[in-house]
Amino acid sequence: MFRNSNIALQTNDLTFLSGDTISGTVILENTRICNFIKIFVALESQNIVDWDDLEAKTKDGFIMHYKQRFENKKTSIHAQRNFLVQNSLAEGNHSYDFTLNIPIAVPSSCTAKFGFIKYQLSLVLHDSKGFQKLDIVPINIRRNFNLSLNPNLLKPFVKECNYNSSWWSFSCLSKPFNATVTLNSCAFVPGDQIEYTVFVENASKYFDVKKIDLILTQNHRFQAKRPYKTYRTDIKVLLTTTHNKPCRRLGKCTMDGYLQLPETLPITSQDPSVIMVNYALHVLIEMKGFNNSTHLRIPIIIGSHNEEIKSRHIVTVADENELSENLETECIV
């Protein structure tokens, strides 16, 4: 029916923010008169989660193990633009401009271990035989999360840890141990630097600090609906650094550095979805001997952009309780 049919976008960049407008042109070339019900361009999404788990059940007094498939598959049309009021098209070359508005609440594109969220623009012909896709253009959508809308997230953040070091169960040898972690912020955009300072005050008379590890993790949560509702998580280590400078007993030490975020990262999930993403910075302080290591976990928020952070300098230190409330609101853990 059509010798040539394609979607030509006005930009070569196929990455968009939610809330953006997609503009383009549909080009059709047919060699004879075409009759149809309608021709339209649609913004479609595929949200698919699936994995296999080993489960057990009892039958005739015996425990049987079997492989169970968990899945959640959803295909949606978020926006649609129809062409041609008449139901026929004369032979020749035809072009039609279109615009589509991306809904503000759509989740970000994502490809992970147990599922994916993908978007595409489809040129669809609806005739008496059904629906036929004439052209498909995959696109990438990032959730619009402007960090500057919540200034509290952009303030420097301080977290303290106080505990007594002890050797096995001998509490008589316990001494106070203090650690303070300072970050330039808890909210970043891809490509930013997480600048940190770790201050350790070791009041123990017997134990030294062996090393300090900083690990940035990405946590995906996959939600399945069939055969019943459940979820599965996948934790990936994105960045790690180690400070082997020991902090001697009855001593103090300070370690500075930064972690360079990748240029492309999924945006932190703000609403429940088939696939949710969040981040955390883990600070592990390892003592020599038989002491328990100290573990600090700081939620990190990744936004799509920040229009004001480069035009101002924030010097106010955020209150830890206030920032923790904001982190719980903005970041789904």
Side-chain angles (χ1 to χ4, degrees):
M1 181 179 294
F2 291 100
R3 177 184 298 175
N4 181 29
S5 55
N6 60 73
I7 301 173
L9 299 181
Q10 292 184 357
T11 176
N12 294 326
D13 186 3
L14 300 181
T15 299
F16 302 89
L17 290 176
S18 60
D20 282 354
T21 299
I22 303 175
S23 301
T25 303
V26 168
I27 300 174
L28 299 172
E29 180 184 353
N30 56 317
T31 56
R32 57 184 177 84
I33 297 177
C34 301
N35 297 312
F36 51 85
I37 299 175
K38 63 180 177 179
I39 298 177
F40 60 91
V41 172
L43 172 61
E44 303 176 327
S45 69
Q46 286 184 313
N47 302 351
I48 295 180
V49 165
D50 55 12
W51 72 83
D52 292 324
D53 264 350
L54 191 64
E55 296 201 339
K57 64 180 180 180
T58 302
K59 184 177 181 180
D60 299 330
F62 295 94
I63 298 178
M64 301 179 59
H65 293 85
Y66 63 97
K67 185 181 293 186
Q68 179 64 61
R69 186 74 169 178
F70 293 92
E71 62 181 12
N72 188 356
K73 298 182 179 180
K74 181 180 179 182
T75 302
S76 304
I77 295 180
H78 299 282
Q80 179 176 314
R81 180 69 64 188
N82 296 331
F83 302 108
L84 305 174
V85 177
Q86 69 277 14
N87 294 333
S88 63
L89 187 65
E91 62 178 302
N93 298 328
H94 311 274
S95 62
Y96 304 93
D97 296 330
F98 71 91
T99 57
L100 285 176
N101 295 323
I102 303 175
I104 192 67
V106 296
S108 299
S109 301
C110 176
T111 300
K113 186 175 182 179
F114 300 113
F116 61 82
I117 299 176
K118 294 182 179 181
Y119 295 90
Q120 64 183 27
L121 289 175
S122 301
L123 176 59
V124 183
L125 170 68
H126 182 196
D127 58 13
S128 58
K129 298 180 180 179
F131 294 90
Q132 177 185 355
K133 292 185 179 181
L134 304 178
D135 191 25
I136 295 176
V137 179
I139 63 173
N140 182 47
I141 294 180
R142 300 172 62 196
R143 180 70 180 269
N144 193 335
F145 187 3
N146 188 0
L147 299 178
S148 63
L149 298 180
N150 194 335
N152 289 331
L153 296 177
L154 303 176
K155 297 177 181 179
F157 177 69
V158 178
K159 186 175 182 65
E160 296 182 356
C161 174
N162 304 303
Y163 86 108
N164 288 333
S165 61
S166 60
W167 187 72
W168 280 5
S169 59
F170 294 95
S171 59
C172 59
L173 299 180
S174 64
K175 292 295 180 180
F177 172 88
N178 303 317
T180 303
V181 180
T182 304
L183 302 180
N184 57 330
S185 174
C186 274
F188 305 89
V189 298
D192 278 354
Q193 289 183 351
I194 302 178
E195 300 175 3
Y196 62 85
T197 299
V198 181
F199 173 74
V200 176
E201 182 180 3
N202 186 6
S204 174
K205 295 181 180 180
Y206 308 99
F207 310 112
D208 298 335
V209 174
K210 183 178 180 181
K211 65 176 182 176
I212 298 177
D213 295 318
L214 288 95
I215 303 172
L216 179 67
T217 60
Q218 180 187 72
N219 183 15
H220 283 91
R221 178 186 170 109
F222 306 89
Q223 186 74 43
K225 288 187 176 181
R226 293 177 294 273
Y228 54 85
K229 286 187 177 181
T230 185
Y231 69 90
R232 185 166 183 172
T233 59
D234 178 49
I235 299 177
K236 178 182 178 182
V237 175
L238 296 180
L239 300 169
T240 181
T241 185
T242 300
H243 292 271
N244 290 313
K245 176 183 176 182
C247 184
R248 302 295 183 183
R249 62 202 72 175
L250 299 177
K252 300 178 182 179
C253 61
T254 302
M255 281 145 284
D256 301 315
Y258 67 89
L259 295 172
Q260 181 69 49
L261 293 176
E263 293 292 337
T264 56
L265 281 176
I267 307 305
T268 298
S269 300
Q270 296 170 272
D271 302 315
S273 178
V274 175
I275 302 176
M276 292 179 285
V277 185
N278 58 70
Y279 301 84
L281 179 64
H282 303 266
V283 182
L284 305 176
I285 303 176
E286 182 178 341
M287 304 285 290
K288 286 186 177 180
F290 297 96
N291 281 277
N292 294 326
S293 298
T294 303
H295 176 208
L296 303 178
R297 182 184 182 276
I298 304 174
I300 298 295
I301 294 177
I302 302 297
S304 59
H305 62 291
N306 184 6
E307 297 176 348
E308 299 180 10
I309 191 171
K310 295 182 179 180
S311 61
R312 64 182 181 181
H313 180 63
I314 301 174
V315 295
T316 305
V317 177
D319 178 73
E320 181 177 348
N321 294 329
E322 178 185 359
L323 184 53
S324 297
E325 293 176 358
N326 283 285
L327 289 173
E328 292 177 359
T329 303
E330 298 291 338
C331 182
I332 301 175
V333 180

